[in-house]
Amino acid sequence: MKEVKRYIQSFLSQHKIDISSGKTALFDEFVSDEKNVNAVKIIQENQKMIMQNWILKNRIDDILTQTVSIPNGTVNKKYQAKIDFSTLGWNDFISFEINGLENTGLEFNEANEMLFGIPKISGDLKISILFKIDGEPEDSVLNKKTLTLIINPDPKSLWKNLESDKNDPFWKPDSEAVLEGFLDKNIVMSSKRGRSHANAGSFREDDFVFKNFNQIGWSVVAVSDGAGSAKLSRKGSRIVCESVIQYFEENLNPENLKEFDEVLANHHNKLSDVTSKKINQFVYENLSKAVHFAHQKLEEFAIKNKTELKDLHTTLIFALVKKYDFGYAILTFGVGDCPIGLLNKELTEIKLMNWLDVGDYGGGTRFITMPEIFQDDKFSSRFGFKLIDDFSYLMLMTDGIYDPKFVVEANLEKIENWRGFIDDLKGKNEDGIQVEFDKNNPEIAKQLSAWMDFWSPGNHDDRTLAIIY
């Protein structure tokens, strides 16, 4: 009764009606009237209902207008994000469901509140959360909150793959992959036109070639990277690779190799300055002649086709290899920024068989088309030699592989980087593409070609990789 009296008294006061002392008895009688008591109870219940309705309405509006950020995703790339109800303050949800994920490649796990999957479509996906909070009637309509999830396109899909002009007199396939025997090992090679060239319908500028000289027990592999700024570099890279093969075809014979074989045997039995000097002399004389021969072929082509030598700018690396009873002799040459890596059998050591033309020239590479490289004091240091009992891999690559996988020259000297590179080749990569280095695997060339489609932001140059294993 006291509560009813206070309520009526407050109500009258709001309307500027005060109860005088002479009216106290009358007021007490008024507030005791059952009709007035019931009226006050009804009013208070209605006020309480209004307050509860407002609190619910306001809470729902807070949820609907609450900013919720979800990490962006990318088409064909694994996605996972937590919609943390507790952190968002959604502990008062008594029921909810997620709509809008149909045909997106995504799903929502209510148990751990994870949104996950591999997005199939790009754009601003609208995800609806239909919910009901504590206090809402059971038969009330579910509230709808919309979240926006931005799915970016697969960057690979933004690149065109236009065929190069097959009618061009210097055309060559946009992609090549080869598996063959190499001495008592195998060689797998793949060369693929870069996305930047495919997008414009231009040519693959890299090249490679190899040959087994079975009659004398030697094998040779060459890799070249035509300069993107040179209009006929695709032809230049082809010329230098084929010229190296041609030179050794014409000049390697048992007679002039007999002395070298004897020197190597003596060197293996007992290292000495004498044998080392003779080996270095043989390497320099024979390989430098092959290099001069390749340069000469470039000059002849330029004259014949009335073009400048710089239009044929290309790098060149090659390795001449022979297996002996006591191990493998590996002779190399390199000009440009393409590395040759030799990994021992146990994968504990890496021998970089050439130095790269970076740094000293401010990042600008050197090309075999440049006459000045032959007069340079460092020309003789471009040749390498290694006698090794056995090895796991001998790799030659262009910077289309080296740049994204090793990033800087210093990393080429670190065995852990090469181990990581081999793990990458064997399937430890975003796409899970595996190259199986089994001598009995006939699919390895296809596997290597597929692996070379890896995505690396900013690295869209031609890619060539030759692996002896």
Side-chain angles (χ1 to χ4, degrees):
M1 187 63 69
K2 288 182 179 180
E3 184 179 348
V4 173
K5 183 177 181 179
R6 283 196 301 269
Y7 183 87
I8 294 176
Q9 194 171 19
S10 174
F11 175 73
L12 293 175
S13 179
Q14 290 175 12
H15 289 78
K16 302 182 188 285
I17 299 174
D18 296 321
I19 307 301
S20 64
S21 58
K23 299 285 185 179
T24 301
L26 179 63
F27 182 68
D28 289 342
E29 180 184 347
F30 180 79
V31 299
S32 300
D33 188 301
E34 186 177 354
K35 290 182 179 178
N36 291 331
V37 171
N38 290 335
V40 169
K41 288 182 178 179
I42 291 171
I43 291 171
Q44 287 179 325
E45 288 174 358
N46 285 337
Q47 285 180 327
K48 183 179 180 181
M49 180 185 68
I50 290 171
M51 182 61 70
Q52 290 175 337
N53 287 344
W54 168 250
I55 291 172
L56 280 173
K57 191 76 173 176
N58 186 60
R59 171 61 180 147
I60 292 169
D61 184 67
D62 284 345
I63 294 171
L64 295 179
T65 57
Q66 182 179 2
T67 300
V68 178
S69 298
I70 309 177
N72 296 351
T74 302
V75 171
N76 295 327
K77 187 175 182 180
K78 186 177 179 181
Y79 180 85
Q80 181 172 295
K82 184 176 180 65
I83 302 178
D84 194 330
F85 281 40
S86 179
T87 301
L88 291 168
W90 294 352
N91 299 318
D92 51 353
F93 280 27
I94 57 175
S95 67
F96 75 91
E97 59 184 75
I98 305 287
N99 287 346
L101 297 177
E102 301 81 7
N103 304 316
T104 65
L106 299 171
E107 54 184 295
F108 183 77
N109 185 310
E110 292 186 16
N112 58 18
E113 300 172 345
M114 295 299 296
L115 181 62
F116 66 97
I118 299 178
K120 295 179 180 178
I121 56 176
S122 63
D124 293 357
L125 304 187
K126 302 300 180 182
I127 302 173
S128 299
I129 301 180
L130 304 179
F131 66 94
K132 188 183 296 183
I133 65 171
D134 189 20
E136 289 190 274
E138 291 186 6
D139 60 349
S140 62
V141 177
L142 292 172
N143 308 290
K144 179 180 178 181
K145 180 175 181 62
T146 301
L147 305 181
T148 299
L149 170 59
I150 299 174
I151 301 295
N152 297 311
D154 182 347
K156 295 179 185 178
S157 68
L158 302 178
W159 293 84
K160 300 174 185 176
N161 188 18
L162 305 177
E163 286 191 6
S164 55
D165 182 8
K166 291 184 177 180
N167 295 319
D168 185 273
F170 309 123
W171 177 87
K172 57 188 174 186
D174 297 331
S175 178
E176 288 187 273
V178 176
L179 167 65
E180 293 288 350
F182 191 94
L183 303 177
D184 61 334
K185 296 180 180 287
N186 278 359
I187 183 168
V188 60
M189 296 176 288
S190 180
S191 183
K192 185 160 285 192
R193 183 177 61 158
R195 289 188 177 91
S196 57
H197 295 159
N199 195 57
S202 56
F203 303 94
R204 174 172 61 96
E205 293 161 349
D206 280 8
D207 221 318
F208 68 81
V209 71
F210 91 102
K211 187 174 180 65
N212 291 311
F213 300 102
N214 295 322
Q215 70 278 12
I216 54 175
W218 287 86
S219 293
V220 64
V221 55
V223 168
S224 57
D225 177 5
S229 59
K231 64 181 181 180
L232 291 178
S233 63
R234 63 189 180 280
K235 184 61 178 178
S237 61
R238 172 65 75 179
I239 290 172
V240 293
C241 283
E242 292 179 340
S243 297
V244 168
I245 299 298
Q246 182 183 345
Y247 177 82
F248 289 124
E249 279 179 333
E250 296 174 356
N251 293 278
L252 280 183
N253 58 73
E255 197 61 37
N256 65 9
L257 292 172
K258 184 177 179 180
E259 181 181 353
F260 182 68
D261 292 342
E262 293 174 354
V263 170
L264 275 183
N266 294 333
H267 186 74
H268 174 260
N269 293 328
K270 184 178 180 180
L271 300 180
S272 70
D273 292 340
V274 174
T275 55
S276 294
K277 184 176 180 181
K278 287 182 178 180
I279 289 171
N280 290 335
Q281 184 178 355
F282 177 88
V283 172
Y284 180 79
E285 288 181 355
N286 286 273
L287 271 62
S288 65
K289 288 177 182 177
V291 178
H292 279 283
F293 183 79
H295 181 84
Q296 178 185 334
K297 289 297 181 182
L298 290 169
E299 288 183 324
E300 291 174 359
F301 177 88
I303 293 171
K304 182 178 179 180
N305 290 272
K306 298 179 180 179
T307 190
E308 295 185 65
L309 198 56
K310 66 179 182 179
D311 293 335
L312 300 166
H313 271 347
T314 185
T315 67
L316 173 64
I317 54 175
F318 65 83
L320 190 63
V321 188
K322 182 176 181 178
K323 183 180 186 302
Y324 294 87
D325 293 339
F326 47 82
Y328 294 83
I330 301 171
L331 292 62
T332 63
F333 169 81
V335 59
D337 55 358
C338 302
I340 306 172
L342 174 66
L343 291 101
N344 68 346
K345 197 66 177 176
E346 297 77 20
L347 294 179
T348 56
E349 294 180 5
I350 171 66
K351 169 68 174 176
L352 193 60
M353 296 296 296
N354 65 316
W355 53 268
L356 307 190
D357 285 293
V358 295
D360 290 347
Y361 299 97
T365 191
R366 303 285 90 184
F367 302 108
I368 193 173
T369 39
M370 297 176 170
E372 59 267 28
I373 68 168
F374 297 97
Q375 282 79 48
D376 195 293
D377 293 339
K378 298 175 70 174
F379 181 66
S380 61
S381 65
R382 294 186 180 276
F383 301 89
F385 170 78
K386 181 70 174 178
L387 183 61
I388 189 169
D389 293 343
D390 199 359
F391 62 91
S392 56
Y393 303 98
L394 175 61
M395 300 190 190
L396 297 84
M397 67 184 74
T398 61
D399 60 352
I401 300 291
Y402 150 62
D403 282 341
K405 295 302 182 181
F406 290 89
V407 185
V408 294
E409 184 184 7
N411 288 334
L412 291 167
E413 302 281 359
K414 301 173 183 177
I415 187 61
E416 59 268 25
N417 290 86
W418 285 91
R419 286 200 199 107
F421 180 60
I422 293 168
D423 288 342
D424 188 322
L425 283 163
K426 290 183 175 180
K428 196 174 180 179
N429 53 67
E430 277 190 6
D431 301 314
I433 295 178
Q434 182 178 7
V435 182
E436 299 176 74
F437 289 99
D438 183 335
K439 288 188 71 174
N440 298 317
N441 175 21
E443 300 297 316
I444 189 171
K446 291 181 181 178
Q447 292 171 354
L448 181 59
S449 181
W451 176 86
M452 290 178 73
D453 285 328
F454 64 81
W455 178 257
S456 177
N459 292 294
H460 308 297
D461 197 2
D462 291 352
R463 295 169 177 172
T464 299
L465 178 58
I467 307 174
I468 301 164
Y469 63 99

